[in-house]
Amino acid sequence: MKRTIRTMFGVAATAGILALGAPAFTGAANASTTSATSATAGLRQGQSFLFNYTFNGHLKVAGGNFTVDHRVYLVVKFNTGRVAFSKWEIARTHPITPGGAIYVETTIAAPCAPGNNGYARAYDEATRTWSPKLPVTICQRID
């Protein structure tokens, strides 16, 4: 029994070492992306995501599945591409949100009249990946 367990752990450890071994070098750009991804693979889970809500009279954007203890760039843009808000944030563990989580209170007033005129996205610097676009409403003054 003990020998079987040791054998199973030995196989699992060997497989883990092989899985984390040297990346396949098919090109310089691919090698840097592959090594960054494999180095942080255990810290990030699945596709990153964003959600939004109103807090303190402002639009708040939050999300998860980013690389824990690494920088995430959050940007809120109008549909025209003009930036309404941006900020670098460090992804931290959170009891409810999976992976590395960010919670950012923007300077954009909320709630607004219905109608999405913008979107939010977040860039995980460690994995060099963008989250999917999250449609948001950006309040605009009418004078």
Side-chain angles (χ1 to χ4, degrees), residues 26-43:
T26 57
N30 188 22
S32 64
T33 303
T34 304
S35 62
T37 303
S38 65
T40 58
L43 302 175

Side-chain angles (χ1 to χ4, degrees), residues 22-114:
F25 292 105
T26 57
N30 188 22
S32 64
T33 303
T34 304
S35 62
T37 303
S38 65
T40 58
L43 302 175
R44 184 173 167 265
Q45 308 165 9
Q47 171 75 34
S48 59
F49 63 91
L50 294 175
F51 59 95
N52 67 301
Y53 56 97
T54 299
F55 177 78
N56 221 17
H58 292 112
L59 172 70
K60 190 153 182 175
V61 180
N65 283 342
F66 297 104
T67 308
V68 176
D69 292 331
H70 285 80
R71 293 183 347 145
V72 175
Y73 178 70
L74 175 71
V75 63
V76 179
K77 292 184 177 184
F78 287 94
N79 288 333
T80 62
R82 183 170 58 101
V83 174
F85 176 86
S86 65
K87 182 179 183 181
W88 283 98
E89 190 73 21
I90 302 293
R92 304 283 184 210
T93 58
H94 190 272
I96 297 172
T97 309
I102 60 167
Y103 285 81
V104 179
E105 184 176 347
T106 71
T107 55
I108 300 168
C112 299

Side-chain angles (χ1 to χ4, degrees), residues 2-14:
K2 288 182 184 178
R3 183 175 183 195
T4 305
I5 292 173
R6 272 187 267 159
T7 304
M8 287 188 331
F9 283 129
V11 170
T14 304

